[in-house]
Amino acid sequence: MQPNISSQMLKGILQGVMLMILAKQPDYGYGISTQLNQYGLDNIPKGTIYPLLAAMEKRHYLVGKMQPSENGPDRKYYNITLDGQAARQEFVQEWQFLAQIVNKLIEEQ
């Protein structure tokens, strides 16, 4: 059973998680949402993903490009940039540091 993750905690890590997903391969909004679901983050509203993609594009972490779709209208695929790769790496380092501290505190309980 998945715990109810606080929206503040999720908001703090969602950008890094999305950068990690897009570092594997470019994808569009709904495809990213599907991948988040596959990793167990299935309670993220679609209205959260698209504004975050737009913000990351504005920060030059991503570049979006419209591509034709076989199943309907064109889709905007997001590619991670060099700045996005740097932000992803920074997220990973920060996460590992914080996880180490929190895990140590949990072990001491």
Side-chain angles (χ1 to χ4, degrees), residues 35-46:
Q35 289 191 63
L36 290 169
N37 291 346
Q38 291 171 351
Y39 285 103
L41 297 173
D42 50 2
N43 292 330
I44 299 171
K46 307 304 179 264

mmCIF file with all atom_site columns, all heavy atoms in Angstrom, residues 35-46:
data_model
loop_
_atom_site.group_PDB
_atom_site.id
_atom_site.type_symbol
_atom_site.label_atom_id
_atom_site.label_alt_id
_atom_site.label_comp_id
_atom_site.label_asym_id
_atom_site.label_entity_id
_atom_site.label_seq_id
_atom_site.pdbx_PDB_ins_code
_atom_site.Cartn_x
_atom_site.Cartn_y
_atom_site.Cartn_z
_atom_site.occupancy
_atom_site.B_iso_or_equiv
_atom_site.pdbx_formal_charge
_atom_site.auth_seq_id
_atom_site.auth_comp_id
_atom_site.auth_asym_id
_atom_site.auth_atom_id
_atom_site.pdbx_PDB_model_num
ATOM 1  N N   . GLN A 1 35 ? 5.061  7.097  -16.854 1.00 0.00 ? 35 GLN A N   1
ATOM 2  C CA  . GLN A 1 35 ? 6.287  6.602  -16.219 1.00 0.00 ? 35 GLN A CA  1
ATOM 3  C C   . GLN A 1 35 ? 6.269  6.842  -14.715 1.00 0.00 ? 35 GLN A C   1
ATOM 4  O O   . GLN A 1 35 ? 6.702  5.975  -13.941 1.00 0.00 ? 35 GLN A O   1
ATOM 5  C CB  . GLN A 1 35 ? 7.515  7.261  -16.854 1.00 0.00 ? 35 GLN A CB  1
ATOM 6  C CG  . GLN A 1 35 ? 7.787  6.776  -18.261 1.00 0.00 ? 35 GLN A CG  1
ATOM 7  C CD  . GLN A 1 35 ? 9.130  7.239  -18.754 1.00 0.00 ? 35 GLN A CD  1
ATOM 8  O OE1 . GLN A 1 35 ? 10.161 6.874  -18.190 1.00 0.00 ? 35 GLN A OE1 1
ATOM 9  N NE2 . GLN A 1 35 ? 9.118  8.051  -19.796 1.00 0.00 ? 35 GLN A NE2 1
ATOM 10 N N   . LEU A 1 36 ? 5.791  8.005  -14.301 1.00 0.00 ? 36 LEU A N   1
ATOM 11 C CA  . LEU A 1 36 ? 5.673  8.272  -12.861 1.00 0.00 ? 36 LEU A CA  1
ATOM 12 C C   . LEU A 1 36 ? 4.780  7.219  -12.206 1.00 0.00 ? 36 LEU A C   1
ATOM 13 O O   . LEU A 1 36 ? 5.087  6.720  -11.126 1.00 0.00 ? 36 LEU A O   1
ATOM 14 C CB  . LEU A 1 36 ? 5.118  9.675  -12.625 1.00 0.00 ? 36 LEU A CB  1
ATOM 15 C CG  . LEU A 1 36 ? 6.047  10.835 -12.961 1.00 0.00 ? 36 LEU A CG  1
ATOM 16 C CD1 . LEU A 1 36 ? 5.281  12.158 -12.949 1.00 0.00 ? 36 LEU A CD1 1
ATOM 17 C CD2 . LEU A 1 36 ? 7.230  10.897 -12.020 1.00 0.00 ? 36 LEU A CD2 1
ATOM 18 N N   . ASN A 1 37 ? 3.686  6.872  -12.886 1.00 0.00 ? 37 ASN A N   1
ATOM 19 C CA  . ASN A 1 37 ? 2.787  5.829  -12.382 1.00 0.00 ? 37 ASN A CA  1
ATOM 20 C C   . ASN A 1 37 ? 3.522  4.507  -12.230 1.00 0.00 ? 37 ASN A C   1
ATOM 21 O O   . ASN A 1 37 ? 3.347  3.799  -11.232 1.00 0.00 ? 37 ASN A O   1
ATOM 22 C CB  . ASN A 1 37 ? 1.590  5.633  -13.313 1.00 0.00 ? 37 ASN A CB  1
ATOM 23 C CG  . ASN A 1 37 ? 0.643  6.808  -13.316 1.00 0.00 ? 37 ASN A CG  1
ATOM 24 O OD1 . ASN A 1 37 ? 0.696  7.679  -12.462 1.00 0.00 ? 37 ASN A OD1 1
ATOM 25 N ND2 . ASN A 1 37 ? -0.225 6.845  -14.308 1.00 0.00 ? 37 ASN A ND2 1
ATOM 26 N N   . GLN A 1 38 ? 4.350  4.164  -13.208 1.00 0.00 ? 38 GLN A N   1
ATOM 27 C CA  . GLN A 1 38 ? 5.078  2.897  -13.172 1.00 0.00 ? 38 GLN A CA  1
ATOM 28 C C   . GLN A 1 38 ? 6.053  2.837  -12.000 1.00 0.00 ? 38 GLN A C   1
ATOM 29 O O   . GLN A 1 38 ? 6.350  1.760  -11.493 1.00 0.00 ? 38 GLN A O   1
ATOM 30 C CB  . GLN A 1 38 ? 5.821  2.675  -14.488 1.00 0.00 ? 38 GLN A CB  1
ATOM 31 C CG  . GLN A 1 38 ? 4.893  2.401  -15.656 1.00 0.00 ? 38 GLN A CG  1
ATOM 32 C CD  . GLN A 1 38 ? 5.600  2.386  -16.994 1.00 0.00 ? 38 GLN A CD  1
ATOM 33 O OE1 . GLN A 1 38 ? 6.770  2.746  -17.116 1.00 0.00 ? 38 GLN A OE1 1
ATOM 34 N NE2 . GLN A 1 38 ? 4.886  1.971  -18.028 1.00 0.00 ? 38 GLN A NE2 1
ATOM 35 N N   . TYR A 1 39 ? 6.547  3.991  -11.570 1.00 0.00 ? 39 TYR A N   1
ATOM 36 C CA  . TYR A 1 39 ? 7.454  4.038  -10.424 1.00 0.00 ? 39 TYR A CA  1
ATOM 37 C C   . TYR A 1 39 ? 6.719  4.171  -9.102  1.00 0.00 ? 39 TYR A C   1
ATOM 38 O O   . TYR A 1 39 ? 7.331  4.304  -8.050  1.00 0.00 ? 39 TYR A O   1
ATOM 39 C CB  . TYR A 1 39 ? 8.464  5.178  -10.580 1.00 0.00 ? 39 TYR A CB  1
ATOM 40 C CG  . TYR A 1 39 ? 9.544  4.872  -11.582 1.00 0.00 ? 39 TYR A CG  1
ATOM 41 C CD1 . TYR A 1 39 ? 9.512  5.427  -12.848 1.00 0.00 ? 39 TYR A CD1 1
ATOM 42 C CD2 . TYR A 1 39 ? 10.589 4.015  -11.262 1.00 0.00 ? 39 TYR A CD2 1
ATOM 43 C CE1 . TYR A 1 39 ? 10.509 5.132  -13.776 1.00 0.00 ? 39 TYR A CE1 1
ATOM 44 C CE2 . TYR A 1 39 ? 11.583 3.715  -12.183 1.00 0.00 ? 39 TYR A CE2 1
ATOM 45 C CZ  . TYR A 1 39 ? 11.527 4.281  -13.436 1.00 0.00 ? 39 TYR A CZ  1
ATOM 46 O OH  . TYR A 1 39 ? 12.509 3.979  -14.346 1.00 0.00 ? 39 TYR A OH  1
ATOM 47 N N   . GLY A 1 40 ? 5.377  4.160  -9.149  1.00 0.00 ? 40 GLY A N   1
ATOM 48 C CA  . GLY A 1 40 ? 4.595  4.211  -7.923  1.00 0.00 ? 40 GLY A CA  1
ATOM 49 C C   . GLY A 1 40 ? 4.101  5.593  -7.547  1.00 0.00 ? 40 GLY A C   1
ATOM 50 O O   . GLY A 1 40 ? 3.461  5.754  -6.515  1.00 0.00 ? 40 GLY A O   1
ATOM 51 N N   . LEU A 1 41 ? 4.386  6.586  -8.363  1.00 0.00 ? 41 LEU A N   1
ATOM 52 C CA  . LEU A 1 41 ? 3.903  7.946  -8.094  1.00 0.00 ? 41 LEU A CA  1
ATOM 53 C C   . LEU A 1 41 ? 2.648  8.182  -8.928  1.00 0.00 ? 41 LEU A C   1
ATOM 54 O O   . LEU A 1 41 ? 2.631  8.980  -9.862  1.00 0.00 ? 41 LEU A O   1
ATOM 55 C CB  . LEU A 1 41 ? 4.992  8.974  -8.426  1.00 0.00 ? 41 LEU A CB  1
ATOM 56 C CG  . LEU A 1 41 ? 6.257  8.869  -7.589  1.00 0.00 ? 41 LEU A CG  1
ATOM 57 C CD1 . LEU A 1 41 ? 7.332  9.818  -8.105  1.00 0.00 ? 41 LEU A CD1 1
ATOM 58 C CD2 . LEU A 1 41 ? 5.957  9.162  -6.128  1.00 0.00 ? 41 LEU A CD2 1
ATOM 59 N N   . ASP A 1 42 ? 1.580  7.483  -8.560  1.00 0.00 ? 42 ASP A N   1
ATOM 60 C CA  . ASP A 1 42 ? 0.385  7.509  -9.396  1.00 0.00 ? 42 ASP A CA  1
ATOM 61 C C   . ASP A 1 42 ? -0.694 8.472  -8.923  1.00 0.00 ? 42 ASP A C   1
ATOM 62 O O   . ASP A 1 42 ? -1.769 8.514  -9.494  1.00 0.00 ? 42 ASP A O   1
ATOM 63 C CB  . ASP A 1 42 ? -0.190 6.098  -9.556  1.00 0.00 ? 42 ASP A CB  1
ATOM 64 C CG  . ASP A 1 42 ? -0.361 5.370  -8.241  1.00 0.00 ? 42 ASP A CG  1
ATOM 65 O OD1 . ASP A 1 42 ? -0.075 5.950  -7.183  1.00 0.00 ? 42 ASP A OD1 1
ATOM 66 O OD2 . ASP A 1 42 ? -0.781 4.201  -8.282  1.00 0.00 ? 42 ASP A OD2 1
ATOM 67 N N   . ASN A 1 43 ? -0.424 9.252  -7.922  1.00 0.00 ? 43 ASN A N   1
ATOM 68 C CA  . ASN A 1 43 ? -1.411 10.216 -7.438  1.00 0.00 ? 43 ASN A CA  1
ATOM 69 C C   . ASN A 1 43 ? -1.053 11.647 -7.811  1.00 0.00 ? 43 ASN A C   1
ATOM 70 O O   . ASN A 1 43 ? -1.535 12.590 -7.189  1.00 0.00 ? 43 ASN A O   1
ATOM 71 C CB  . ASN A 1 43 ? -1.565 10.093 -5.922  1.00 0.00 ? 43 ASN A CB  1
ATOM 72 C CG  . ASN A 1 43 ? -2.215 8.785  -5.523  1.00 0.00 ? 43 ASN A CG  1
ATOM 73 O OD1 . ASN A 1 43 ? -3.010 8.235  -6.272  1.00 0.00 ? 43 ASN A OD1 1
ATOM 74 N ND2 . ASN A 1 43 ? -1.867 8.283  -4.365  1.00 0.00 ? 43 ASN A ND2 1
ATOM 75 N N   . ILE A 1 44 ? -0.216 11.820 -8.812  1.00 0.00 ? 44 ILE A N   1
ATOM 76 C CA  . ILE A 1 44 ? 0.195  13.168 -9.212  1.00 0.00 ? 44 ILE A CA  1
ATOM 77 C C   . ILE A 1 44 ? -0.790 13.687 -10.250 1.00 0.00 ? 44 ILE A C   1
ATOM 78 O O   . ILE A 1 44 ? -0.922 13.098 -11.326 1.00 0.00 ? 44 ILE A O   1
ATOM 79 C CB  . ILE A 1 44 ? 1.626  13.168 -9.774  1.00 0.00 ? 44 ILE A CB  1
ATOM 80 C CG1 . ILE A 1 44 ? 2.591  12.690 -8.695  1.00 0.00 ? 44 ILE A CG1 1
ATOM 81 C CG2 . ILE A 1 44 ? 2.005  14.547 -10.277 1.00 0.00 ? 44 ILE A CG2 1
ATOM 82 C CD1 . ILE A 1 44 ? 3.983  12.454 -9.171  1.00 0.00 ? 44 ILE A CD1 1
ATOM 83 N N   . PRO A 1 45 ? -1.473 14.786 -9.943  1.00 0.00 ? 45 PRO A N   1
ATOM 84 C CA  . PRO A 1 45 ? -2.435 15.327 -10.904 1.00 0.00 ? 45 PRO A CA  1
ATOM 85 C C   . PRO A 1 45 ? -1.741 15.802 -12.177 1.00 0.00 ? 45 PRO A C   1
ATOM 86 O O   . PRO A 1 45 ? -0.625 16.324 -12.138 1.00 0.00 ? 45 PRO A O   1
ATOM 87 C CB  . PRO A 1 45 ? -3.071 16.507 -10.169 1.00 0.00 ? 45 PRO A CB  1
ATOM 88 C CG  . PRO A 1 45 ? -2.622 16.421 -8.760  1.00 0.00 ? 45 PRO A CG  1
ATOM 89 C CD  . PRO A 1 45 ? -1.413 15.553 -8.718  1.00 0.00 ? 45 PRO A CD  1
ATOM 90 N N   . LYS A 1 46 ? -2.417 15.600 -13.317 1.00 0.00 ? 46 LYS A N   1
ATOM 91 C CA  . LYS A 1 46 ? -1.861 16.059 -14.599 1.00 0.00 ? 46 LYS A CA  1
ATOM 92 C C   . LYS A 1 46 ? -1.646 17.580 -14.563 1.00 0.00 ? 46 LYS A C   1
ATOM 93 O O   . LYS A 1 46 ? -0.761 18.099 -15.202 1.00 0.00 ? 46 LYS A O   1
ATOM 94 C CB  . LYS A 1 46 ? -2.778 15.687 -15.760 1.00 0.00 ? 46 LYS A CB  1
ATOM 95 C CG  . LYS A 1 46 ? -3.152 14.221 -15.834 1.00 0.00 ? 46 LYS A CG  1
ATOM 96 C CD  . LYS A 1 46 ? -1.958 13.296 -15.896 1.00 0.00 ? 46 LYS A CD  1
ATOM 97 C CE  . LYS A 1 46 ? -2.366 11.849 -15.938 1.00 0.00 ? 46 LYS A CE  1
ATOM 98 N NZ  . LYS A 1 46 ? -2.368 11.170 -14.649 1.00 0.00 ? 46 LYS A NZ  1
#
